[in-house]
Amino acid sequence: MGYKKLSKEQELQLVEEYRKGAPVVELMAKYGYKTKKSITDKVKKYYPDEYENIVKEAQSGRRGYTYSLSELTSPFDAYLVGLLLTDGYVLSDRDGLGLDMTDEDVIAFVANTIGTKYTSYDVENKKTHYRVLITIPGISAEAERFGIVPRKSNIVPEPQLMEKERKFLPYIIRGIIDGDGSVAKTSYGGSQFFIVTKSEVFANWIKKVLENDFFMDDISIRISSEGMYRIETANQYNILKLIALVYNKPFGMNRKYNNLRKTFRDYNNDALLDKDDGIVQTTTE
């Protein structure tokens, strides 16, 4: 069907259906328009002062969820920022953010918490990947101050946090480790963790947080032959602090949470860490 001129009554009916959540593609087909802009232009025509709010409300209604990164108000917000800093990206075809990982439990955790769905896709000779998209008008701009910018791999800047958001640093670091970090055994059986990044600025910021906010010592940064910065430590006091401050309970990824606690417990003969309740314990013996 080609374009046809609508009567005022028909245009008002279109606008009302739009406001009630009718899918835009259905409205395009029903009223003979070829672009989504033609539909929203009718909203603007009759509600010029309320246009932006009407469009946002309608989009949220169709999406079925709302979410904002204008301020970190929960451990989940901070964890998501950490994940986006490592395995996330800014969408190029619309306002939104994407997160791709091979750990389904993380993607499911993010999607379920926000209230959206996730998808999976296969990569030849590799593990299945899982993806969640957060397509909310304005969220790309909200995420920018955290360093989540287009083509960020080599240029991740230092995240800019409000003072009241700093209490969520442990969950930002947890998201970063779950994204581009690793927890593993050393050659002598002890625990270690490291984070890799292409950004020197980001590497230095992580080191500063670990030392100044988490009171860790012996944090080093090595540069690989590929130009990757690796922030690392095998100091067992640092590992204990990481468990107490960052991996103190199940949250998001299970694999690294369980592996970190197991390697530390095995190497230290489980004297300091109870295997079940997630609480760091001390002994008087």
Side-chain angles (χ1 to χ4, degrees), residues 99-101 103-111 118 130-132:
L99 181 66
D100 281 32
M101 300 181 72
D103 288 88
E104 184 177 8
D105 59 345
V106 182
I107 298 298
F109 175 68
V110 170
Y118 68 95
Y130 301 91
R131 171 183 295 160
V132 61

Side-chain angles (χ1 to χ4, degrees), residues 6-201:
L6 303 181
S7 67
K8 180 178 180 180
E9 290 73 18
Q10 288 174 315
E11 289 182 344
L12 287 170
Q13 177 64 30
L14 180 158
V15 172
E16 186 63 20
E17 291 178 25
Y18 176 86
R19 296 188 69 172
K20 289 183 176 179
V24 175
V25 290
E26 291 184 11
L27 294 177
M28 290 165 56
K30 179 178 179 179
Y31 290 98
Y33 290 108
K34 294 182 178 180
T35 66
K36 295 179 180 179
K37 184 177 182 297
S38 298
I39 303 298
T40 55
D41 279 349
K42 292 295 180 286
V43 179
K44 192 172 186 178
K45 176 180 178 180
Y46 290 100
Y47 297 95
D49 297 331
E50 304 172 58
Y51 167 72
E52 290 187 1
N53 286 335
I54 290 173
V55 170
K56 285 182 180 179
E57 290 175 3
Q59 289 174 335
S60 295
R62 291 184 191 88
R63 194 181 301 111
Y65 69 94
T66 59
Y67 186 69
S68 173
L69 280 175
S70 60
E71 180 183 334
L72 303 185
T73 60
S74 69
F76 173 78
D77 294 342
Y79 182 64
L80 178 60
V81 164
L83 292 172
L84 290 169
L85 280 166
T86 51
D87 287 333
Y89 51 92
V90 178
L91 300 182
S92 60
D93 60 343
R94 59 196 133 153
D95 197 346
L97 307 170
L99 181 66
D100 281 32
M101 300 181 72
T102 58
D103 288 88
E104 184 177 8
D105 59 345
V106 182
I107 298 298
F109 175 68
V110 170
N112 292 338
T113 302
I114 291 176
T116 187
K117 297 180 180 179
Y118 68 95
T119 58
S120 64
Y121 63 96
D122 292 323
V123 179
E124 188 175 358
N125 299 322
K126 293 184 179 180
K127 294 181 179 179
T128 298
H129 283 243
Y130 301 91
R131 171 183 295 160
V132 61
L133 301 180
I134 309 170
T135 53
I136 296 177
I139 197 164
S140 299
E142 292 174 352
E144 188 174 346
R145 71 180 173 96
F146 301 112
I148 303 162
V149 294
R151 298 174 294 278
K152 63 178 171 53
S153 295
N154 297 319
I155 57 164
V156 180
E158 181 173 314
Q160 301 300 309
L161 301 178
M162 293 183 278
E163 188 60 35
K164 60 183 175 181
E165 295 175 324
R166 295 190 66 82
K167 63 183 178 183
F168 297 118
L169 273 170
Y171 284 91
I172 295 179
I173 295 297
R174 183 163 179 169
I176 291 170
I177 295 175
D178 281 358
D180 274 348
S182 180
V183 295
K185 284 185 178 181
T186 63
S187 59
Y188 52 84
S191 293
Q192 65 173 327
F193 78 89
F194 60 84
I195 302 165
V196 292
T197 178
K198 292 181 180 180
S199 169
E200 182 180 9
V201 172

Side-chain angles (χ1 to χ4, degrees), residues 203-214:
N204 287 329
W205 179 80
I206 292 171
K207 184 175 187 290
K208 182 171 65 175
V209 168
L210 295 178
E211 292 177 338
N212 296 346
D213 294 274
F214 299 169

